[in-house]
Amino acid sequence: MTFSYNQLFTFTEAVFRSIGCPEEDATLATETLLSADLRGIDSHGVARLVGYVRLWEAGRINPTPRVGVTYETPSTAVVDGDGGLGLVVGPKAMRVAIEKAQQVGTGWVSVKNSNHFGIAGYHAMLALAHDMIGVAMTNASPLVAPTYSLDRLLGTNPIAVAVPAGEQPDFVADLATTTAANGKLEIAQRKQLPVPEGWVQNADGSGSTDANAVKNGGALLPLGGATGSHKGYALGSVVDIFSAVLSGANYGPWVPPFVAFLQPPTDPVGQGLGHFFGAMRVDAFRPADEFKAHMDNWITTFRNAHAIEGKKVLIPGDPEREMAAVRLLEGIPLLDAVVKDLEGVGQKFGVKLG
């Protein structure tokens, strides 16, 4: 089924208000969440709404957090999310990074006591309107086995970098440090399809194409696959350290799970999930117009590279930008299983979908 952006926005905002979010926070959380659906990252969009509601029901999300800075210097800060929705905590923390960059050139913020924050790209892109480069990272539920490990010690731990351009569309890289995000497994499960080799391993460490392998005790694999997973492992580790060891959030196997039916570890080493944000004012390095003109040249050069027959060379952010333009006009398609979940949530709060 297909729904317009406005239909999903009205429904989602009403659900967030129903769990106690103030109007401003409900609107912000909805915008953050639906940015994923618009950009074609269906695994992190409205399909996750039910998960947030269940976490709230389990008492693991504070709908009225007092998000604040607990430690800072002119260019750095630690933000305490007070157990709030990461969809709200993330943008507020990124604003702190942007404000610091406006004052001193760069701003770096590490966050503790938060929850799942949607797609990393949304937060990084907040810097673009200020002629800044944005960086966003987050740790996540431990579903990933380090290279040669049977234990799940890391999350999918994404990294996003957004860079402003001039006449060309902005450069936006947003990637998990695993071969595939867990949300893609969830989509395959709903469709009852296998997953490609190199995405997951079984509990004994053997390769698998079963979309339920992680549920059955297996693990997601770091980016790089059979010959290069040490690189994804290293990148995921960097995200975990910047997001959590630096801020005082939980890291590694202590990160609380996103699903409400699994309890957080009883021996936490920190508070909640961790994020890391950065903002760099372009004119702290060179004049912004000059930089953006060269970014245009960089983008044009790469986009016009000679391509393999039947393919074209893409710039990070191209597919998502093109998808957003289509979905704003034609609507956002949702799997039947997602529609059913959303209708169930709507009935609970007296909110109609569509």
Side-chain angles (χ1 to χ4, degrees):
M1 298 179 65
T2 300
F3 298 84
S4 72
Y5 177 80
N6 288 337
Q7 284 177 311
L8 291 180
F9 197 101
T10 299
F11 174 82
T12 303
E13 185 180 41
V15 170
F16 281 132
R17 293 185 66 180
S18 295
I19 69 173
C21 293
E23 183 174 354
E24 183 179 338
D25 284 2
T27 301
L28 179 58
T30 301
E31 180 181 308
T32 308
L33 186 65
L34 293 187
S35 68
D37 294 292
L38 271 184
R39 294 175 67 79
I41 310 172
D42 298 333
S43 57
H44 284 58
V46 73
R48 295 250 173 170
L49 181 61
V50 176
Y52 292 111
V53 171
R54 288 172 179 162
L55 286 176
W56 168 75
E57 290 173 332
R60 288 169 50 190
I61 282 182
N62 175 9
T64 56
R66 298 181 66 180
V67 181
V69 174
T70 61
Y71 182 87
E72 65 180 326
T73 72
S75 63
T76 66
V78 172
V79 166
D80 187 330
D82 195 25
L85 282 163
L87 303 168
V88 172
V89 176
K92 290 185 176 183
M94 186 62 184
R95 286 174 194 162
V96 174
I98 290 169
E99 288 167 3
K100 287 186 174 293
Q102 288 171 332
Q103 296 298 317
V104 297
T106 67
W108 303 97
V109 175
S110 196
V111 181
K112 64 180 178 179
N113 206 5
S114 186
N115 283 282
H116 191 277
F117 76 176
I119 58 170
Y122 173 83
H123 308 285
M125 290 171 67
L126 292 175
L128 295 174
H130 304 276
D131 275 353
M132 296 182 188
I133 295 171
V135 178
M137 309 177 193
T138 184
N139 67 2
S141 308
L143 300 173
V144 182
T147 304
Y148 304 134
S149 173
L150 296 178
D151 297 329
R152 305 192 302 202
L153 298 177
L154 289 171
T156 53
N157 294 9
I159 300 171
V161 178
V163 183
E167 299 298 323
Q168 291 294 319
D170 301 318
F171 175 105
V172 182
D174 185 357
L175 60 147
T177 54
T178 48
T179 306
N182 186 53
K184 291 188 177 180
L185 290 188
E186 294 170 353
I187 292 173
Q189 290 161 13
R190 293 189 185 105
K191 293 182 176 181
Q192 299 183 336
L193 295 173
V195 297
E197 292 184 7
W199 281 24
V200 295
Q201 68 182 27
N202 291 317
D204 63 1
S206 60
S208 177
T209 60
D210 182 3
N212 295 293
V214 176
K215 285 185 175 181
N216 296 329
L220 286 165
L221 294 175
L223 183 66
T227 59
S229 68
H230 59 288
K231 298 178 182 179
Y233 168 33
L235 288 171
S237 301
V238 168
V239 173
D240 202 32
I241 293 166
F242 280 28
S243 300
V245 180
L246 200 57
S247 68
N250 288 294
Y251 48 81
W254 291 279
V255 176
F258 178 75
V259 291
F261 61 83
L262 293 177
Q263 293 299 310
T266 57
D267 58 342
V269 293
Q271 295 176 284
L273 262 72
H275 317 310
F276 185 80
F277 301 104
M280 294 181 283
R281 221 172 63 205
V282 168
D283 66 3
F285 297 87
R286 68 188 300 187
D289 290 344
E290 181 180 290
F291 171 84
K292 290 194 288 185
H294 280 281
M295 274 304 300
D296 284 348
N297 186 47
W298 189 97
I299 290 168
T300 302
T301 300
F302 278 72
R303 187 174 281 130
N304 292 338
H306 292 96
I308 296 170
E309 186 175 353
K311 302 289 184 180
K312 64 178 181 178
V313 179
L314 298 174
I315 303 301
D318 279 352
E320 295 85 356
R321 175 178 49 79
E322 292 168 4
M323 181 64 76
V326 170
R327 288 189 168 184
L328 278 172
L329 288 175
E330 299 180 1
I332 297 168
L334 299 179
L335 295 173
D336 291 344
V338 173
V339 173
K340 184 178 179 180
D341 284 345
L342 294 179
E343 288 175 339
V345 169
Q347 290 173 1
K348 183 177 298 185
F349 296 115
V351 179
K352 188 175 180 181
L353 176 65

